[in-house]
Amino acid sequence: MTTREKLLRAARDVFAEHGLAHTRISDIAARSGVNRERVYGYFGSKEGLFDAVINDALDELAEAVPLTPGEDLVGYVDRVHEFHRLHPQLLRLLLWEALHYRSEPLPGEEERKVRYREKVSALEQSLGAAEGRLQAAPTLFILIGLAAWPSVVPQLARLITGTDTSENPELMREHVLSFARAALQPEERAAQAKD
């Protein structure tokens, strides 16, 4: 593992735990076993390292859960849900990013928009003519939210459902997928109701 990779891995853990404002470079250096001066050499600043960590985590998500044209969207929701359940750090990082930057433009925002435009384009193709009335960009946002929200606020899931979803993750997964099927495959749902 390279020095840069060690720093990114350690920084992901520390930033996910404490956020940008409450993380010290010395904590990341100690966890990575790398001299703190190397952080500045590679990333320029704590904010530069935080942005690199988020982009690295987003790359990992994109590789693990691609959205390709024509794919089964319920399956996509399932894969996104499972990725975030098993790897909640990205969601924590995104929440810390939202708290830190609020409504300010994000560093590298235009590059990140390109990533999502590609997903929106794939989603448009996956929705097809029958579902053309749906707008792909807001639909993608809602699908990601549906898939990720149980991992963002597991305590809320427990309070509302009365079940600790960490002990029975399949229960929440089935609810998420059932809702996705109803939203994305209404004709299939209607046909099943007639049978």
Side-chain angles (χ1 to χ4, degrees):
M1 181 181 313
T2 68
T3 300
R4 186 178 193 281
E5 290 169 337
K6 286 180 188 177
L7 287 169
L8 285 170
R9 182 173 291 176
R12 187 184 297 196
D13 291 340
V14 177
F15 282 133
E17 291 169 18
H18 304 288
L20 179 56
H22 299 289
T23 292
R24 296 179 315 177
I25 291 297
S26 58
D27 295 334
I28 294 168
R31 191 165 305 187
S32 67
V34 175
N35 183 307
R36 63 180 277 147
E37 305 313 318
R38 300 297 297 270
V39 172
Y40 298 104
Y42 280 104
F43 304 102
S45 66
K46 182 170 72 167
E47 289 79 8
L49 176 56
F50 182 76
D51 299 332
V53 164
I54 288 190
N55 284 317
D56 187 58
L58 288 170
D59 288 343
E60 185 180 304
L61 171 64
E63 186 176 318
V65 188
L67 176 56
T68 56
E71 85 170 82
D72 168 40
L73 295 175
V74 174
Y76 174 73
V77 169
D78 187 26
R79 291 191 333 271
V80 171
H81 174 77
E82 283 300 290
F83 179 89
H84 288 305
R85 184 180 70 80
L86 297 172
H87 307 96
Q89 285 181 319
L90 174 57
L91 295 173
R92 290 182 190 134
L93 291 167
L94 292 172
L95 290 171
W96 285 117
E97 179 184 61
L99 290 169
H100 181 77
Y101 289 108
R102 304 201 184 274
S103 60
E104 294 175 35
L106 301 171
E109 184 163 326
E110 288 307 312
E111 293 82 10
R112 285 173 62 181
K113 284 180 180 178
V114 169
R115 181 189 309 259
Y116 288 109
R117 279 190 215 113
E118 291 169 359
K119 288 185 180 198
V120 167
S121 177
L123 180 61
E124 285 172 343
Q125 294 176 48
S126 296
L127 290 171
E131 296 295 328
R133 66 188 180 279
L134 294 175
Q135 294 180 347
T139 300
L140 178 63
F141 180 73
I142 290 167
L143 293 178
I144 292 170
L146 172 65
W149 194 242
S151 295
V152 173
V153 286
Q155 78 282 14
L156 190 57
R158 184 182 68 248
L159 292 169
I160 292 172
T161 67
T163 303
D164 184 349
T165 56
S166 66
E167 292 177 8
N168 188 359
E170 280 302 310
L171 180 63
M172 183 56 68
R173 180 181 184 191
E174 205 37 58
H175 287 308
V176 167
L177 295 181
S178 176
F179 196 89
R181 274 187 214 97
L184 294 167
Q185 302 167 343
E187 297 85 10
E188 182 179 310
R189 183 101 166 167
Q192 288 175 348
K194 289 180 184 177
D195 291 342

